[in-house]
Amino acid sequence: MKIILGPASTELGERISELTNLEKVGVDQRTFPDGESYVRLLGDVQNEHVIIVQTTSAPQDTRIMQLAFIADAAKNNGARKVTAMVPYLAYGRQDKTFLQGENISVETVSAMLNAAGVDALVTVNVHAEDALKKFPFPARNLSAIPILAEYFLKKGYKRAFALAPDKGAMYIAEQAQRILGGEAGHLEKKRDRHTGQTSQTALNINVKGKTVIIFDDIISTGGTIVGAAKILRELGAVRVFAACVHPLLIGDAEKRILDAGVAEIVGTDSVPSHTSKVTLAPLLAKELQAPKSA
Ligand code: R5P
């Protein structure tokens, strides 16, 4: 087995290679003047099971193409199996048709990757796990919520309230609760499918005088966290943190979240940024060391 260092996740790939002692293969990646991508493998993959570590956060279309090109290059150069290790799987939120005339983007992406030579996929906290069942190859979803919760445990926030910003994310808050040992709850969030506008309300949660950590899979524009933080302050929470697996943090999201009174934003290196205080490397390395991945 060898690790191919996808250009979007070189550092994470290096860390996984160190933890697993698996040989790494570099990639020469270039962008042509018109924006098209070029890749070339810088090592031998003949008869190998290769693991391509490549996240697909923005610029997601470019990164998906790079992943497909690397998979194709690996197969063309004799790799016997290609596993795409994609910490953040782009288009995961379009996992069904919400309005007539739409496509299911995450399925389209999986079909493209399959056509390029991907035989299996490992991802982390994909937005809707059920979507993976329709992929044309085996796909595994790992959760980084326990390691995010451990970060807060080490900082001394044992028994902090784990909050999900909507009911669908309650399973995330429960995973965090198992590590933190305190309470868990969720807000209610509604989204207008035409405008994308969301509204949040609190039902039956008591956070007065408590430290609350909002756990979510993704922070994108920050609107969800800003809205949740506002409600939590109104309900008397003394301290509010925001934790997410994929800190996309588009535009001024970080500033807006901090301005809303959130003490700290903690993300993973699924999407590298200065909020990536937790690395996914041990979680992903463990997955590769499990007998089923050999
Ligand atoms: C949606 O249901 C997701 O779990 C996140 O809550 C959402 O993508 C966050 O987006 P934003 O930061 O733009 O509110």
Side-chain angles (χ1 to χ4, degrees), residues 236-288:
V238 285
R239 205 179 282 106
V240 177
F241 292 98
C244 73
V245 180
H246 310 297
L248 303 183
L249 295 169
I250 307 303
D252 63 351
E254 184 179 356
K255 181 177 181 312
R256 288 174 55 236
I257 291 169
L258 297 176
D259 287 351
V262 170
E264 185 182 354
I265 305 169
V266 179
T268 79
D269 52 2
S270 134
V271 182
S273 83
H274 67 276
T275 67
S276 305
K277 296 164 190 170
V278 172
T279 179
L280 296 176
L283 180 73
L284 295 172
K286 196 169 156 211
E287 175 66 13
L288 295 181

Side-chain angles (χ1 to χ4, degrees), residues 10-291:
T10 312
E11 273 184 40
L12 179 59
E14 300 254 15
R15 284 193 185 131
I16 296 170
S17 156
E18 275 164 32
L19 290 173
T20 54
N21 284 321
L22 290 171
E23 193 181 320
K24 59 195 179 196
V25 174
V27 175
D28 179 13
Q29 181 272 317
R30 296 172 199 199
T31 307
F32 290 109
D34 61 357
E36 290 183 357
S37 294
Y38 164 93
V39 302
R40 185 169 76 89
L41 302 183
L42 300 174
D44 179 26
V45 294
Q46 186 74 35
N47 291 323
E48 294 286 349
H49 174 187
V50 294
I51 313 295
I52 307 169
V53 183
Q54 167 89 341
T55 204
T56 56
S57 52
Q60 49 277 77
D61 296 354
T62 299
R63 288 173 166 181
I64 288 168
M65 288 308 286
Q66 290 169 346
L67 176 57
F69 290 171
I70 295 168
D72 198 21
K75 281 284 173 71
N76 283 337
N77 284 276
R80 67 179 166 79
K81 181 173 178 184
V82 172
T83 295
M85 191 163 253
V86 187
Y88 174 68
L89 183 61
Y91 295 104
R93 284 172 288 180
Q94 184 72 15
D95 61 311
K96 52 172 92 79
T97 50
F98 300 95
L99 298 173
Q100 195 180 359
E102 294 176 347
N103 73 315
I104 302 177
S105 306
V106 76
E107 281 182 22
T108 310
V109 169
S110 71
M112 286 165 56
L113 293 177
N114 189 230
V118 170
D119 300 301
L121 181 135
V122 176
T123 188
V124 183
N125 290 97
V126 67
H127 184 65
E129 188 166 1
D130 275 356
L132 303 185
K133 290 183 190 151
K134 293 200 182 148
F135 280 19
F137 40 62
R140 293 247 308 149
N141 183 40
L142 310 177
S143 179
I145 297 300
I147 55 175
L148 279 166
E150 273 159 21
Y151 173 92
F152 287 97
L153 200 60
K154 281 186 199 136
K155 281 189 71 149
Y157 294 111
K158 194 174 177 184
R159 307 196 68 77
F161 192 109
L163 184 94
D166 58 50
K167 199 172 177 183
M170 187 58 197
Y171 77 98
I172 286 181
E174 285 168 350
Q175 286 179 8
Q177 180 190 29
R178 284 196 275 281
I179 302 291
L180 294 167
E183 298 166 81
H186 66 85
L187 300 179
E188 299 290 335
K189 183 167 100 175
K190 286 197 182 125
R191 184 183 296 274
D192 181 315
R193 287 284 160 204
H194 292 276
T195 64
Q197 289 279 43
T198 58
S199 59
Q200 291 154 287
T201 47
L203 297 174
N204 302 324
I205 59 162
N206 177 8
V207 294
K208 195 169 172 54
K210 296 176 189 167
T211 293
V212 181
I213 307 168
I214 310 167
F215 285 90
D216 208 351
D217 54 348
I218 299 169
I219 300 178
S220 181
T221 64
T224 302
I225 299 292
V226 168
K230 191 165 169 274
I231 291 173
L232 292 170
R233 303 309 295 218
E234 282 166 8
L235 293 175
V238 285
R239 205 179 282 106
V240 177
F241 292 98
C244 73
V245 180
H246 310 297
L248 303 183
L249 295 169
I250 307 303
D252 63 351
E254 184 179 356
K255 181 177 181 312
R256 288 174 55 236
I257 291 169
L258 297 176
D259 287 351
V262 170
E264 185 182 354
I265 305 169
V266 179
T268 79
D269 52 2
S270 134
V271 182
S273 83
H274 67 276
T275 67
S276 305
K277 296 164 190 170
V278 172
T279 179
L280 296 176
L283 180 73
L284 295 172
K286 196 169 156 211
E287 175 66 13
L288 295 181
Q289 286 159 335

